[in-house]
Amino acid sequence: MTNNLLLRRAAVTAGAILVAAAEFATLRSAAGVDLAANSGNSTRQITVAAVVVAAAVAALAGWALLAVLERLTNRARVWWTSIAVTVLLLSLLAGPPGGVGGEAKATLALLHLSVGVVLILGLPRPRPEGLNR
């Protein structure tokens, strides 16, 4: 992996985390959204720390999977994008419905979508011109 690609992926990872934290802060302070989710038999408040950790875990896991696929196949970008979109859709089915109230559900969906889109568009290396992979 070249230094430019390493820096680019680190910047995308940081960007996904910053987007999630900024959205959380904006929706909490400007819109007054109280972000809480049902967890088993209890309800827990979702904090900015939880949002940052979740975004970081998603970004680093996606980056690691992409790095492994790049070593195993010439079609890493196609495979990774397919897997990443599937994981995003599954996260939308699992995470946001646990929100307490409509605002929390919508905010959780927005957070999942924002982080997912940043990672899906940003992590794979751009295709060299003239190559169709």
Side-chain angles (χ1 to χ4, degrees):
M1 183 177 305
T2 66
N3 284 337
N4 286 343
L5 184 57
L6 183 64
L7 289 173
R8 181 176 180 274
R9 289 184 177 166
V12 169
T13 297
I17 294 166
L18 290 172
V19 163
E23 279 181 8
F24 176 86
T26 301
L27 290 169
R28 184 162 185 164
S29 64
V33 174
D34 181 29
L35 200 53
N38 292 319
S39 178
N41 293 332
S42 63
T43 299
R44 68 180 180 96
Q45 290 299 118
I46 297 174
T47 64
V48 70
V51 169
V52 165
V53 168
V57 167
L60 294 173
W63 185 351
L65 176 61
L66 181 56
V68 168
L69 288 171
E70 286 173 339
R71 291 181 179 263
L72 297 177
T73 179
N74 289 333
R75 298 183 51 84
R77 179 182 174 149
V78 172
W79 280 103
W80 184 86
T81 301
S82 299
I83 293 167
V85 168
T86 301
V87 169
L88 173 58
L89 293 174
L90 290 172
S91 82
L92 287 170
L93 291 173
V100 176
E103 288 179 340
K105 290 177 182 181
T107 300
L108 287 169
L110 180 63
L111 288 166
H112 282 243
L113 282 171
S114 299
V115 170
V117 167
V118 168
L119 296 175
I120 290 167
L121 295 179
L123 280 181
R125 82 178 69 188
R127 287 186 204 160
E129 289 186 34
L131 286 182
N132 290 322
R133 286 189 183 194

